[in-house]
Amino acid sequence: MKKLFPLLVVACLAALSITPGHVAAADVFLTLASGSPGGVYYPLGGGMANIIEKMIPGVRCTSTSTGASVENCRMVGGGSADLGMTMGSIAFAAMRSKAPFDRSYPIETLFQMYPAPEHIVTTKESGINSIKDLKGKRVAIDVPGSGCATMAAAILTEAGYNLEKDLKIAHLSQSESVQALKDGVIDIAFFNFAYPASGIMDLTSSRNIKLIPLDKAFVEGMLKKYPYYVEITIPAKAYDKIPEATLCLGDSNLIVVNKKMETDLAYKIVKAIFANVAEGKYSLVSIHPIAAQITLQNAVNTPVPLHPGAVQYFKEIGALK
């Protein structure tokens, strides 16, 4: 029996190596940092992790709930996560050691998931038709320190307003701004979210609203000064009663990785996800409707450089030259 024991150990180890579901030591293990439950990042992160694991042989991937953009950039740049979801402006700051980061992080983009345009919303009764019509108006720009408020302040300042002297600024949350527009307490509100947004749909059901567009030259000037923002057009009929397209300034929502990720792995990840956006066994649109905006046009529109593996894929399918 003593002579047989080593043989039994070897046999058991061999059996484990071929047990269904067993992961070999050579397999790649990835972590995708998403966001908190209840947000868009969380379900999309789970769906993308599942696609990566199911579609790429030898790769395991787990999605983990986090505090989202700032934390995810630190995790990916620091090596404690392999992929992360983040707003483009935050990733831009992370690359350049700008607040809220105290050092730069080596991150690149696999693709933009979807844009978040700055909706500028008013009622038809307000008499406001452009960003130039706001002097003396009651303007809600979201809560202090939010990405929406930061972008709204930049737009208003660039339009020539002194926020303290020329406007009646209200720092209201998104839900508070919706209600304030309904009640006529404010004249106009800024919102930063992907379209179609439930808050705007709520407004269209009870008030005659309109989206205020920015003109092309103004947007181009903003992008030169604030290169982490992106140009976005909200399509015609994205909202009921708003038949025309609306040109906006916005932020992007990205999938970022560390620059050290191997080109072949990055290529396979992007290819697998784009094969399962609207179609495929693990379709992302079946998880969340926002995934319909994960398009080739949006994918390459990013303020953060694309990873070489992503560039390879997008050139291969003609999304990049």
Side-chain angles (χ1 to χ4, degrees):
M1 287 296 294
K2 290 182 179 180
K3 292 182 179 180
L4 289 174
F5 183 72
L7 295 176
L8 289 171
V9 171
V10 171
C12 289
L13 291 173
L16 283 173
S17 69
I18 60 173
T19 299
H22 179 68
V23 181
D27 281 2
V28 175
F29 293 83
L30 302 177
T31 299
L32 190 158
S34 59
S36 59
V40 175
Y41 283 7
Y42 184 78
L44 279 186
M48 289 183 186
N50 188 50
I51 289 170
I52 292 167
E53 181 162 318
K54 299 294 186 182
M55 299 294 293
I56 307 177
V59 175
R60 301 290 298 274
C61 188
T62 300
S63 177
T64 183
S65 175
T66 69
S69 295
V70 174
E71 182 179 352
N72 292 350
C73 286
R74 287 180 175 140
M75 290 176 69
V76 171
S80 59
D82 302 286
L83 303 95
M85 295 178 162
T86 177
M87 294 177 69
S89 58
I90 299 298
F92 187 93
M95 290 178 60
R96 289 161 175 78
S97 189
K98 296 184 179 295
F101 302 97
D102 56 7
R103 70 178 181 90
S104 62
Y105 289 88
I107 56 176
E108 292 179 327
T109 308
L110 289 187
F111 57 89
Q112 180 191 176
M113 297 183 288
Y114 56 90
E118 190 87 337
H119 294 62
I120 307 175
V121 187
T122 188
T123 61
K124 290 186 178 179
E125 295 79 14
S126 70
I128 298 171
N129 295 305
S130 81
I131 199 73
K132 298 177 181 179
D133 301 332
L134 302 187
K135 190 167 184 178
K137 299 296 185 181
R138 300 163 297 178
V139 184
I141 64 171
D142 211 322
V143 297
S146 68
C148 178
T150 300
M151 192 185 304
I155 291 171
L156 292 168
T157 300
E158 199 67 17
Y161 294 109
N162 181 309
L163 272 64
E164 295 181 359
K165 296 179 180 179
D166 299 331
L167 306 168
K168 298 173 183 177
I169 297 295
H171 290 285
L172 304 177
S173 68
Q174 290 182 357
S175 59
E176 289 171 339
S177 292
V178 168
Q179 191 60 49
L181 277 172
K182 285 183 178 180
D183 297 339
V185 176
I186 58 174
D187 299 301
I188 193 166
F190 285 72
F191 300 92
N192 187 257
F193 37 38
Y195 61 84
S198 58
I200 306 301
M201 291 189 286
D202 181 19
L203 277 168
T204 60
S205 67
S206 58
R207 294 297 300 269
N208 291 318
I209 70 164
K210 53 186 174 183
L211 296 178
I212 301 301
L214 300 175
D215 65 55
K216 183 73 172 179
F218 182 86
V219 170
E220 289 175 350
M222 290 291 293
L223 294 179
K224 288 180 181 178
K225 191 168 183 178
Y226 305 95
Y228 41 83
Y229 292 142
V230 293
E231 178 183 319
I232 304 171
T233 297
I234 299 175
K237 300 181 180 179
Y239 297 103
D240 291 341
K241 304 177 184 177
I242 303 180
E244 65 280 352
T246 306
L247 181 63
C248 305
L249 191 71
D251 210 335
S252 48
N253 289 276
L254 313 176
I255 293 287
V256 296
V257 296
N258 195 291
K259 288 183 178 180
K260 294 180 180 179
M261 177 176 278
E262 294 181 2
T263 298
D264 184 59
L265 178 58
Y267 168 85
K268 288 177 178 178
I269 290 171
V270 178
K271 184 175 182 178
I273 290 173
F274 272 83
N276 288 273
V277 173
E279 301 175 348
K281 188 176 180 180
Y282 310 106
S283 167
L284 290 173
V285 294
S286 65
I287 295 173
H288 198 288
I290 195 66
Q293 293 183 43
I294 302 177
T295 64
L296 295 176
Q297 182 180 8
N298 283 338
V300 298
N301 185 20
T302 165
V304 175
L306 289 166
H307 187 282
V311 171
Q312 180 183 337
Y313 173 75
F314 291 125
K315 282 186 175 181
E316 182 180 284
I317 61 171
L320 287 176
K321 294 181 180 180

